Every structure is written in structure tokens, then in C-alpha cells.
Amino acid sequence: MGMDMGEMTWNRKLLDYPITWQTAHERKGFDFTQITPEQGKLIQSRFHNWYTADWDFALTTVYFFCAAIGVAALFRWGSWALHRRSAVPRSRASAFDRLVAILSYTTSRVWRFKVFGNYYTPPLAAIIAIGAMFIWVMALMLGPKPFYYPNPVMGHSPPIATRTGWMSIGIMPFMIAFASKTNYVALLTRTSHERLQVFHRWSALLMYMTSLVHTFPFIVRDINEGMMEMNWATDRFYWTGVAALVPQTWLLAMSWGFIRNRYYEFFKKMHFIAASIFMAALFCHVNFFLTSWHYFWATLALYGTVWVYRVVRATLTPGTAIVSVLEDRTLHIRIAVPNSFRWAAGQHVFVRFLFGPLHWASSHPFTIANVPAVGEPNGAGLQQIELVLRARYGITKALEKAAAKGKTCISVFVDGPYGHVGLASDLRRFDRVLFLAGGSGASFTIPLLIDLERNRSSRPADATTRFVVAVREGGAFTWLERQMKPLNDLETIGVAQSTHVTRQKVEEIDPEKGDSKSDDNFGSLQNGRPNIYELVRELCEEPGRVAVVACGPDEFAHDVRSAVAAEQLSLALGRGVASEVFLHVENYSW
Ligand SMILES: Cc1cc2nc3c(=O)[nH]c(=O)nc-3n(C[C@H](O)[C@H](O)[C@H](O)COP(=O)(O)OP(=O)(O)OC[C@H]3O[C@@H](n4cnc5c(N)ncnc54)[C@H](O)[C@@H]3O)c2cc1C
Ligand SMILES: NC(=O)c1ccc[n+]([C@@H]2O[C@H](COP(=O)([O-])OP(=O)(O)OC[C@H]3O[C@@H](n4cnc5c(N)ncnc54)[C@H](OP(=O)(O)O)[C@@H]3O)[C@@H](O)[C@H]2O)c1
């Protein structure tokens, strides 16, 4: 490197002093005589001027995200409002119905890649949105030329490095906003937080890409000029940049599905630690240049307010979970919560079990398997929420083991409710609703079925409902029956139920053939998997508006999505019989 390290003054300051909120956008004291008039013009023009790069690149990135969220909000709220007005069934699909069908198709359609160990893509709409994000980032990154200054006097930072640095900063508040549980973007777009996780991941990847393109031009240039060692020792931007890039690389590498899903607890704890180091290092790295810190304040506001809200809300909802172990790897949990706790059928909560040395540090999402009681609140000021858990390998296994040893009362904090608050009431406008559940996914569909039957008077007069559930073994009947009990108190009209047992032979029951069983609550009982494609096709064979609501394992959800997407495409192409095919598939991992 041709430099004696002894001559260097090590610079390990975190920030330059004096600290200010931002630096000026004016170029002062620059010697224009050393560059040509064209070069002078270039470095003062839009998208080339270092002193306005925050406005040109970071702010432009912000505008792009705001516009995309605005379009999504307009579509989601617009179609909701228009559907409310046109709830009357039509015998033929209108042009509006066909437009909605094609848009709905994009939100339903997913693909499975068996070669990658059954990898399921996000829905087409998310792929399009991510594609748009990618094209936008590439255009802004590679559009303005040159990438390097032809004359080093024009500036220290290569233009491609400057712009990508600012683009990273512009992406940051959105990347964080997509991740939170109480979520401003979800509120604006009338959706639920878990559906935005895919955007959190992909915007993080784009931010990483722009961060790398920001870093390498400096390294290449410094190595070529023999300045690397010197700059590393004396320029704080170098080591604060590396201090940010290392945790950022970790965050990306550890978030791949197979690591995240296999070691979720470890992933989550490390994610928060690495993210905190990353944000702190990046904060120092940008060093209040131009308006860089404004983006940190925005991020803090977006994340901090919802975090405080969540913590306060969860702290105000302590409780005791009463755990019972049922057959078929199932746990049933009852938690007493204050009467002020309000939820809608189909919503979920995050439960923090104050139990064991590590479990208290994370909370887990579970669907509320019961519906709110009707009538006056009880005098004790408390009500019950119920959860049905499939025992797996982490907290659920630990709870199962503890219950087996007699520890059935566990202190908890309940954070929520979360999820699509309007789903239960939205379903009331449909002529036919098909519920499809795989295993414990029924804890999501049962409350929605009960809610629908309770609100029979708000539905079209001849509305019908079909409820299909697939379970591995007959042991599941115990909890299914328990959760469906409220249906016994209702006068159910037009409800057809069928239960499929897939890994055990049971005696089949077909009420249409006059079979009956005194203690059954499940309609027909069949061996083998339900044929999802056939069920969806049958649903769409008659005129009217239909809805499919599903929850189950990945393969189950994939088949439901594919079957519904095919019907929506037919409708969009003018070949459909039903005038609307609505789909809601509840995610259970992200
Ligand atoms: C909105 C929603 C509602 C859910 N409702 C239910 C329900 O009613 N009943 C039920 O049995 N399961 C439900 N799940 C799934 C459930 O949260 C996880 O299976 C559970 O956290 C697993 O706990 P575990 O530690 O035993 O899992 P592990 O065996 O350690 O992990 C199993 C899988 O669960 C996922 N997971 C684990 N911990 C979390 C977490 N804190 N947040 C998100 N995902 C996690 C991971 O993808 C992992 O692959 C729901 C999930 C979501 C997202
Ligand atoms: N709101 C939520 O997000 C929520 C709520 C509750 C539960 N969950 C999650 O839902 C998942 C359910 O898992 P589980 O362990 O409870 O399920 P499980 O016991 O494995 O049961 C799944 C059932 O669905 C059947 N099935 C699977 N794919 C199918 C397909 N393509 N067509 C027809 N039937 C199919 C299975 O048949 P085979 O036996 O032939 O495989 C099995 O009977 C869990 O991961 C749970 O965490 C999520």
C-alpha cells in the first residue's frame, strides 16, 4: 500500500463533531477552474449533484413506495366500498366483476416448485409488486450516467455509490414498517400484518443490494489507487460502513425460509439483536449528512409508536393460561381476559408464555378459536379466549411436556387481537361460502362459521354454507366438537358439513343416505382427503357471489389457491357462471 501505518492517525470517532440535525444542500468553496464547464454543469444538475442526492434518490424512493401503497390502498378500499354497494347478486358478471376477478386472480395464484423441496411462491400480485420494486430500483440506480466521475476533482464519492447509499436510506423506513405487527401499511391497505412480511423481506433484500453497490465502488477505487489501508485507518465512514454491512449480511443470510422456519426461536432473537446493531452502525455511518437522519426519525416514529402501543397493550392484558392436552397432538388453552378485550372471528393473538428460561422472550401467534359471547358482559369483568394448538417442536412441545407433568396454569401476556378484522362481516354478503380447513386450521374457520350463522339475518335469504375439514385421525373429533358447540344453540339453515379423516380408517357416515350418529357434530364423515378442486368447482357452478375461506398446511393452501385462481380466471375471461369468487387463505407462517 506504500504507506507507513505509523504515520496514520487512527480515527475511531463514532460521529463528526459538532453534531447537527442535517448538513447544508449548498456546494461551498468548490474550485470550478479545475474541471471543464460541462463537468461543472453535470455536478450541479439533478440526479448528479452530490449536495442534493438525498432529494433526488432517497426522496424519490420514498415517493415510489408511497405511490405503490396508495395504489394498493385505493384498490383495497375501493373494491370493498363498491362491493358493499353492489351486494345484490346478478345472473351475469358485469365488466366490474370481471375486472375484480382478474385482480383477485393475481392475489390468489401461487406456484409450487417441487425441485426446491416444495417451495411455494408468494401470490402473483406480490410477485408483480416485488418486480415493480426491483425495476424501479434498477432504473434509479443505473439510469443516470456516469457511474464514476471522469475527473477525480469532481468529487470523492463515485456517483453510483452516492445514489445507492441514498436509495438504501429511502427504502429503510418502509422495510421496517412492513415488519411490525401493528402496522400502518396494513391499516392503510386494509390488510393484515402477516401478508406484508413478504415485502419486508424483499425490500430488505433490495436495501442490501443497494448497500453493496454503495460499498464496492469505494473499495475498487481505493485498491486501484493504493489508498485502502489509509482510508480504513483514518476515515470513519469505512469502519462504520463495515459495522453496518456485517449485521446486515447476517440478517439476510439467516432469514432464508429454511433457516427461519427450522430455527424460528433462534432466528427471531438473533434478528432483533442484529437489526439493532445494524441500525446503530448505519446511524453513525450516515453521520447526519444532508437529511440522512430524517429517515431514521421517520423509522423510529413508524416502529417506535407501534412497539410502545403493543407493549402497553400486552402489559395491560396479563392472564393465566389453563392448558389441557387432547388427543391428536393437540393442546387446548383457555385464557381469561378483561371484558374490554374485543375481537372478531378469525383474528389471532400473540401470546407470551412466562415460562422456562427463554420462552418469555418471544410471543407466538395463535388464532382465537372461540367467538365473543353475546349479551351482557359477566359480572366478574372477565371473559375467556380459547386457543387450539398443534404440538410441534418449540413452545408448543414445551407446553405439552409441562402439562404432562402437571403444570397446567401458566402466566401469559396476550397481545392483540390482530388479523383481518372485517373478514367475518364481509362474508355475510355472499350467496355461498365454502370453508376449507386442514387439521388445526379449523380453529380459524370454526369461529367464522359460527359468526356467519349467528348473523344469518344479515345474509341473503337463500345463502348456503359448506364447511369441510380434514384431520389426520379421529382423535381430533374431541376438540372439533368442543369448538363447534355454539352451533348447537343456533338454528343453522343451509349448512352442509363434511369431515375427512386421512390417516385412519373410520366408519363412513352419509346423512343424505339416512346415516346418523348420536354424538356427531360433523355432517358426513369420510375417509381420505377432500377433493379441493372439485369442491371449489361445484361452488362456482351456479350464479351468485361466492367466497372460499381456507386455513391449513402449505400443500392444502396451495391447492385451494390454485382451484380458486382457475375459477377467477374463467370469470375474468367471460366463461364463469358465478359473478364473484372471493378467496381468503389464512397464512400461518411468514
Ligand atoms: C396468524 C397465525 C395464526 C396461527 N394460529 C395457530 C393456531 O391457532 N394453532 C396452531 O397450532 N398454530 C397456529 N399458528 C402457527 C403457530 O404460531 C406456530 O406453529 C407456533 O408458533 C409454533 O410454535 P413452536 O415453537 O412449537 O414451533 P416450532 O416447532 O419451533 O416451529 C414450527 C413453525 O412455526 C413457525 N413459528 C414458530 N414460532 C413462531 C412465531 N413466534 N411466529 C411465527 N411463526 C412461528 C415457524 O415457521 C416454524 O417453522 C398460527 C400462525 C400464525 C402466523
Ligand atoms: N390462523 C392460522 O394461521 C392458523 C390457525 C390454526 C392452525 N394453523 C396452522 O395450520 C397448520 C395445520 O397443521 P396441522 O398439523 O394441524 O395439520 P395436520 O394435522 O397435518 O392436518 C392437515 C390435514 O389436511 C390434509 N391435507 C393436507 N394437504 C391436503 C390437500 N392438498 N388436500 C386435501 N387435504 C389435505 C391432511 O391430509 P394427510 O394426512 O393426507 O396429509 C390432514 O388431514 C399448522 O401449521 C398450524 O400451525 C394456522
Side-chain angles (χ1 to χ4, degrees), residues 172-185 193 197 200 268-269 271-273 275-276 279 294-312 350 352 363 415 418:
M172 180 179 68
F174 296 94
M175 185 266 288
I176 299 284
F178 287 137
S180 61
K181 303 284 177 286
T182 303
N183 192 306
Y184 292 116
V185 183
H193 65 95
Q197 289 292 326
H200 168 61
K268 200 168 170 187
K269 288 177 184 95
H271 202 72
F272 280 110
I273 295 170
S276 309
M279 292 300 283
H294 295 200
Y295 295 81
F296 283 83
W297 309 141
T299 307
L300 189 68
L302 287 171
Y303 194 75
T305 47
V306 294
W307 186 82
V308 170
Y309 172 71
R310 275 192 73 195
V311 169
V312 170
F350 282 79
R352 190 178 299 277
S363 57
D415 172 22
Y418 292 99

Side-chain angles (χ1 to χ4, degrees), residues 493-505:
I493 305 164
V495 179
Q497 284 174 245
S498 46
T499 307
H500 295 250
V501 183
T502 55
R503 299 199 190 178
Q504 200 184 39
K505 272 269 168 273

Side-chain angles (χ1 to χ4, degrees), residues 329 367 390 392 440 472 502-503 529 559 587-588:
R329 308 158 290 133
T367 303
R390 178 65 81 229
R392 294 175 174 277
S440 57
R472 290 192 192 181
T502 55
R503 299 199 190 178
R529 288 180 166 193
D559 287 359
N587 295 335
Y588 54 84

